Amino acid sequence: MLQSYIRVAFRYLIKHRVYSLINILGLAAGIASCVLIFLFSKHELTYDAFHKDAGRIFLVQKHRTTALGLKVLSDTWIPLLPALAQDFSGVENGVRFWSSKRWIQLNEKKFEEEVTYTDPEFLKVFDFPLQSGAAESLNDPSSLVITQSVAKQYFGTEDPIGKTLTINFDKNFVVRGVLVDIPQNSSVTIKFLAPLSSFLDLTDPKVQNYWDGSFLTTFIKLKEGISPAAFEEQMVSLVKKQFGDDGPNGTKQLQLKLLPLLEYRDSEFNTRIYAYALLCIAFGIIVIASINYMNLATARTMERVREIGMRKVLGAERTQLIRQFLGESIATSLIAMLLGIGLAELLLPAVNDLYHIKLSLNILEPSLLGVVIGAALLSGVLSGIYPALILSGFKILDSLKGQKIKTSTGHSLRQILVTLQFVITTVLIIGSLTVWDQIAFMKGHRLNFDQNNVIVIPLSLRDFSNPDASKSSVEAFKNDLLQQTGVVSLASSMSVPGRVNDANTFVRPEDWKSDDPLRMRWTAIDENFFETYRMELVEGRNFSFASDKDESVIINETALSAMGWKTAVNKKIKIGSKFYTVIGVVKDYHTESLQRAISPVVHYYRTSESAAPRFVSVRLKPESINSTIEWITQRWQKLDSSREFNYFFVDENFNQLYQNEERIGKVVGIFSSLAIGIACLGLFGLISFTVTQKTKEIGIRKILGASVPSLVYMLSSKLIVGTLIASLLAWPLAYFALQRWLQDFAFRIELNAGVFILATFAGACIAFITVALQAVRAANANPVDALRYE
């Protein structure tokens, strides 16, 4: 019996090639989408889960209540970890670390790399396995642990253990360990691990009790059974013990909180909402593909009526018939599954390129295998259950006569399913349009500075082994640049738009009545910074006098507003123990993605020859950009031949801040197009079958004088109405989902009816074209051929 069912199923698939191809292609595309989305979503949702005790590892954060609202900060004090371990028994282990750009020297070459200074417990808290060496290496202040990739980059095929690297020109470190490359879905990324004791004298009592400044990242591992919430309550006593109740670090303004390591990635980049959204899209695509199958299967029930009758006469029971038709449906899904896996394998490199990750498709991996088989079985059961129940329920006599059932259930179901398909596709169209509208809005939003034709060269006196001796060379380089006809202006600064230094300070305006100081970002610039970036001073003057270096500051409009002033010029602000005079107010300019609000900023004056500036911004004449950059590249060799000349364009760098949103826009757009394509494939099959069923009716109507437009209307009107109804049902779903997404942007578009109307119109047009092409073809057919049908 089973062999007979399989033989009949494959005969049916081969006989109805177009019908089978539509179903298989639709399901294959749906399964391929599920595989790709599952791989990406799993990558995002399992960040840091590879650590054995990830559920017990927490980042210690500061929740500071300020006059500008709640600030969540991750910088902590040097003595915090020892104090936590000493005062509270719930701490099993912990680690502190700090990462900074450092110059790594090997022979005559130097490379700027990020070095992480950490406690020896780092490799005990986090599960980063060593390829060679020992975890105890970090106990030695002169030891260094590197990753496999770094070892290959610096030493090639040689064994790196025992080799020496010089960090920041003055300290030699011996490589004592090599880590297996850090997994891509790790929030903690490292290349060079150096002992914290090589950077700080942890035996010095002053260092051990330094609570005045915070810059370290602190993770703790709680013992089994310790409640994070209860531990947070205990930490209140530590804050009170060190800082009391009042002041910026007192218990009234500051709380220590624990952020689970497993939530660290999402807290930084809000990735889970994207992963879950993509999983919903994958489910929607599978539903759309399954609906195609169900629609066509219910539409074709009459073609199999006599087959059912014969099987019942020969003794087949209803349960056997249900198994047969479900088997056919699942067989189609399994064929589609194999094609879908192949398609996913072909498309995976494109996904990896888009997200700069290295996903691999191992079909035998249990979770992926479960998803693939589950998707195939789900689509097979969803697609086949209704037709199986309908077909198996026909009476023997009616079946043998090929008599039609006097009910509109099948037709109504098909109409409902078509509507459901286009509800999903319309939501996706609206989502795609809105994502790209938001991206276009952010890219086109006025930044209040001119980012065009400006290159930035990372250059600081700290880049040289002897900063004092290099001052004249650096200044000569800058002066030579200014002499070039292609250079308009040049400025030195600590940060630039798109590359901000997250340095903050406490500020008290002269008439500030609150006990809580204002926490503001600060940066150092020279007198040419505002001119080079063409920023507008709305009040006061620019830096121009030598005395401005230690006495004057310029603030932005957000800082002015935070201070409660209408005018700021000549007013005093207290930073630390020193008073500064505000000499100007610069118009608010964006330094970060428009997803974030503009921060209050205090600008200090530092001349270009000081060590504070880390970037040189050069405004170029647009007509000679390439030739000027070529000259600068050649001139660079005279300044520093030990490293390559690096630079970036401000506008390109700023646009990179929106890479994540652009990727989401591309992915949603691709899968929306795929969903629309699958839905149209189903409509094409459905209208094709409808035309076949109405061949004689079409012929008779044409003989009686029916026009082509009237026949097209007759064949397509109900389907088009269904798509319009679907659009209206999709509107509230899309509206609430997109409102939730847009809430994460400080600067955002307002949802408007135009996008919804455009999406509805686009969906209706796509459906109409799909249906109308087949309908017009049928309406233009020779009525004589139609009357000869069957």
Side-chain angles (χ1 to χ4, degrees):
M1 181 68 74
L2 178 61
Q3 185 178 2
S4 172
Y5 286 164
I6 295 173
R7 187 167 56 251
V8 170
F10 278 96
R11 283 177 180 172
Y12 187 78
L13 290 175
I14 294 170
K15 180 180 178 182
H16 302 280
R17 294 179 184 85
V18 175
Y19 160 73
S20 302
L21 190 62
I22 288 173
N23 285 329
I24 290 172
L25 288 179
L27 289 174
I31 290 171
S33 302
C34 279
V35 169
L36 294 174
I37 289 175
F38 172 78
L39 289 174
F40 174 76
S41 299
K42 182 183 178 184
H43 177 269
E44 289 296 323
L45 296 174
T46 59
Y47 250 77
D48 302 306
F50 60 87
H51 297 292
K52 183 179 66 175
D53 297 319
R56 295 194 285 127
I57 301 174
F58 299 86
L59 171 70
V60 182
Q61 290 185 319
K62 299 186 297 189
H63 284 214
R64 190 188 299 282
T65 303
T66 72
L68 301 177
L70 179 67
K71 300 290 183 183
V72 179
L73 310 165
S74 297
D75 55 295
T76 53
W77 308 272
I78 296 171
L80 177 64
L81 180 60
L84 290 173
Q86 179 180 333
D87 292 358
F88 308 115
S89 59
V91 178
E92 179 179 306
N93 210 334
V95 63
R96 301 164 294 182
F97 59 86
W98 177 70
S99 298
S100 179
K101 291 286 187 180
R102 290 287 189 264
W103 286 105
I104 308 293
Q105 282 180 291
L106 179 65
N107 301 323
E108 300 301 320
K109 292 293 183 181
K110 63 181 181 182
F111 307 88
E112 193 174 29
E113 305 275 13
E114 189 160 279
V115 177
T116 301
Y117 296 91
T118 187
D119 291 313
E121 288 75 20
F122 185 91
L123 297 178
K124 296 178 182 178
V125 174
F126 300 110
D127 292 323
F128 295 127
L130 281 161
Q131 182 193 45
S132 57
E136 293 75 20
S137 300
L138 293 173
N139 288 315
D140 181 357
S142 64
S143 65
L144 191 66
V145 176
I146 60 177
T147 63
Q148 285 175 300
S149 296
V150 170
K152 185 177 181 181
Q153 175 188 346
Y154 281 82
F155 304 108
T157 56
E158 297 181 30
D159 183 4
I161 300 297
K163 297 292 177 63
T164 300
L165 291 173
T166 303
I167 298 181
N168 253 30
F169 311 112
D170 59 354
K171 288 188 179 180
N172 292 326
F173 288 81
V174 179
V175 177
R176 300 295 186 192
V178 178
L179 291 171
V180 175
D181 280 338
I182 307 301
Q184 280 195 309
N185 59 345
S186 172
S187 298
V188 179
T189 57
I190 51 176
K191 295 177 71 176
F192 296 82
L193 271 182
L196 191 60
S197 57
S198 68
F199 174 69
L200 295 170
D201 183 1
L202 299 177
T203 62
D204 186 346
K206 292 182 179 179
V207 174
Q208 293 175 350
N209 294 285
Y210 184 72
W211 292 92
D212 293 333
S214 55
F215 64 96
L216 294 177
T217 299
T218 302
F219 279 91
I220 61 171
K221 182 194 286 188
L222 295 181
K223 293 179 180 178
E224 295 262 7
I226 298 298
S227 165
F231 193 85
E232 286 178 346
E233 292 180 5
Q234 291 180 341
M235 287 193 293
V236 175
S237 62
L238 176 63
V239 175
K240 185 178 180 66
K241 174 182 174 182
Q242 297 298 332
F243 303 107
D245 293 323
D246 301 316
N249 290 327
T251 57
K252 292 179 181 178
Q253 280 74 43
L254 181 72
Q255 289 183 310
L256 295 179
K257 296 288 185 180
L258 298 181
L259 176 70
L261 175 63
L262 295 176
E263 296 178 13
Y264 186 35
R265 163 78 172 179
D266 184 58
S267 69
E268 289 287 315
F269 302 104
N270 199 29
T271 52
R272 287 188 178 177
I273 187 172
Y274 293 128
Y276 289 133
L278 288 175
L279 288 173
C280 290
I281 290 173
F283 180 75
I285 290 173
I286 279 289
V287 169
I288 289 172
S290 300
I291 285 172
N292 281 352
Y293 193 142
M294 192 182 300
N295 267 337
L296 292 174
T298 55
R300 288 182 174 273
T301 51
M302 294 304 106
E303 292 188 359
R304 307 195 68 178
V305 167
R306 287 191 177 92
E307 177 192 339
I308 302 303
M310 287 300 298
R311 287 190 178 276
K312 286 193 171 184
V313 166
L314 294 174
E317 297 180 358
R318 186 177 186 187
T319 54
Q320 291 175 310
L321 294 172
I322 290 174
R323 285 199 298 270
Q324 176 193 341
F325 292 113
L326 273 178
E328 291 177 8
S329 175
I330 292 173
T332 302
S333 296
L334 292 176
I335 295 172
M337 179 188 76
L338 297 176
L339 290 176
I341 293 171
L343 183 60
E345 186 72 49
L346 288 174
L347 295 176
L348 190 57
V351 174
N352 286 333
D353 288 343
L354 180 63
Y355 280 96
H356 305 294
I357 53 180
K358 296 178 182 178
L359 301 177
S360 60
L361 200 165
N362 179 10
I363 196 60
L364 297 180
E365 197 270 319
S367 60
L368 178 59
L369 185 63
V371 166
V372 171
I373 294 176
L377 292 177
L378 177 65
S379 59
V381 172
L382 285 177
S383 305
I385 188 65
Y386 182 80
L389 293 173
I390 294 296
L391 287 170
S392 63
F394 287 170
K395 295 179 181 178
I396 295 179
L397 186 59
D398 291 340
S399 300
L400 292 174
K401 290 179 179 179
Q403 184 174 331
K404 294 182 179 181
I405 306 295
K406 303 296 183 181
T407 177
S408 61
T409 303
H411 175 77
S412 299
L413 177 65
R414 290 196 296 277
Q415 196 71 25
I416 291 170
L417 293 177
V418 168
T419 302
L420 178 58
Q421 272 187 321
F422 275 86
V423 167
I424 297 171
T425 54
T426 303
V427 169
L428 291 176
I429 293 172
I430 294 171
S432 298
L433 293 174
T434 303
V435 169
W436 284 111
D437 272 357
Q438 175 63 20
I439 293 170
F441 168 78
M442 291 191 295
K443 284 190 169 183
H445 189 76
R446 184 176 173 83
L447 301 175
N448 290 336
F449 71 90
D450 186 356
Q451 62 178 333
N452 298 313
N453 307 319
V454 178
I455 65 168
V456 174
I457 306 169
L459 177 60
S460 170
L461 293 178
R462 301 175 187 180
D463 299 340
F464 301 89
S465 57
N466 190 336
D468 290 333
S470 300
K471 279 185 181 181
S472 59
S473 299
V474 171
E475 286 305 301
F477 173 74
K478 294 177 184 178
N479 290 330
D480 285 350
L481 260 61
L482 285 171
Q483 300 305 314
Q484 282 297 303
T485 56
V487 174
V488 177
S489 60
L490 179 148
S492 298
S493 60
M494 189 175 112
S495 61
V496 295
R499 296 265 183 108
V500 294
N501 186 21
D502 195 20
N504 293 274
T505 187
F506 290 115
V507 177
R508 291 180 182 274
E510 61 181 14
D511 53 356
W512 194 245
K513 295 182 173 59
S514 172
D515 294 333
D516 304 328
L518 295 167
R519 191 173 190 271
M520 296 186 177
R521 178 173 288 158
W522 68 271
T523 187
I525 63 174
D526 69 5
E527 67 275 13
N528 301 312
F529 182 79
F530 296 134
E531 176 191 352
T532 299
Y533 281 97
R534 295 176 179 171
M535 296 173 179
E536 179 187 351
L537 284 172
V538 296
E539 183 183 358
R541 65 173 177 86
N542 192 8
F543 296 120
S544 58
F545 304 109
S547 59
D548 287 337
K549 180 178 178 181
D550 297 315
E551 298 179 358
S552 307
V553 293
I554 295 175
I555 62 176
N556 66 349
E557 290 178 304
T558 299
L560 176 69
S561 176
M563 293 174 184
W565 292 339
K566 292 183 179 179
T567 181
V569 174
N570 295 326
K571 290 191 175 182
K572 303 284 188 181
I573 61 173
K574 186 179 181 182
I575 301 175
S577 59
K578 185 176 177 59
F579 282 93
Y580 292 84
T581 301
V582 179
I583 62 170
V585 178
V586 65
K587 191 176 184 65
D588 276 343
Y589 61 92
H590 290 272
T591 58
E592 300 176 279
S593 162
L594 270 72
Q595 189 168 0
R596 299 187 178 185
I598 295 177
S599 301
V601 181
V602 176
H603 302 82
Y604 292 100
Y605 177 50
R606 294 293 181 268
T607 55
S608 61
E609 68 270 14
S610 67
R614 310 226 177 135
F615 298 100
V616 174
S617 302
V618 186
R619 177 167 293 281
L620 305 176
K621 291 180 180 179
E623 65 273 13
S624 57
I625 287 179
N626 292 334
S627 60
T628 305
I629 291 176
E630 185 178 347
W631 181 90
I632 297 173
T633 304
Q634 295 173 356
R635 175 61 179 81
W636 178 266
Q637 294 303 312
K638 184 178 177 181
L639 173 67
D640 192 354
S641 60
S642 64
R643 58 167 165 150
E644 294 183 358
F645 174 62
N646 293 315
Y647 69 94
F648 59 86
F649 282 92
V650 172
D651 54 351
E652 292 177 358
N653 183 69
F654 210 88
N655 285 336
Q656 287 178 1
L657 300 176
Y658 307 121
Q659 278 187 342
N660 193 45
E661 286 73 25
E662 286 184 330
R663 288 172 187 150
I664 292 299
K666 288 179 181 178
V667 170
V668 173
I670 290 169
F671 285 116
S672 298
S673 301
L674 180 62
I676 292 167
I678 295 173
C680 289
L681 202 63
L683 277 180
F684 178 82
L686 197 56
I687 194 65
S688 298
F689 179 76
T690 302
V691 167
T692 302
Q693 292 291 88
K694 293 180 178 288
T695 299
K696 284 187 177 180
E697 180 184 344
I698 293 170
I700 293 171
R701 285 180 179 273
K702 288 198 72 175
I703 289 173
L704 295 177
S707 64
V708 171
S710 67
L711 292 173
V712 172
Y713 176 78
M714 177 197 76
L715 293 169
S716 61
S717 59
K718 290 185 178 180
L719 290 175
I720 300 301
V721 168
T723 62
L724 292 173
I725 293 173
S727 296
L728 296 178
L729 294 174
W731 283 16
L733 295 176
Y735 179 83
F736 288 115
L738 291 170
Q739 279 287 78
R740 168 64 185 86
W741 179 68
L742 288 170
Q743 284 177 3
D744 294 325
F745 295 86
F747 297 87
R748 55 183 178 267
I749 61 172
E750 293 293 334
L751 290 175
N752 61 78
V755 171
F756 291 77
I757 294 171
L758 178 61
T760 299
F761 179 75
C765 285
I766 292 169
F768 177 76
I769 291 170
T770 303
V771 172
L773 287 175
Q774 191 72 358
V776 168
R777 180 183 173 189
N780 282 321
N782 190 334
V784 174
D785 295 334
L787 292 175
R788 287 176 179 171
Y789 184 69
E790 292 184 344

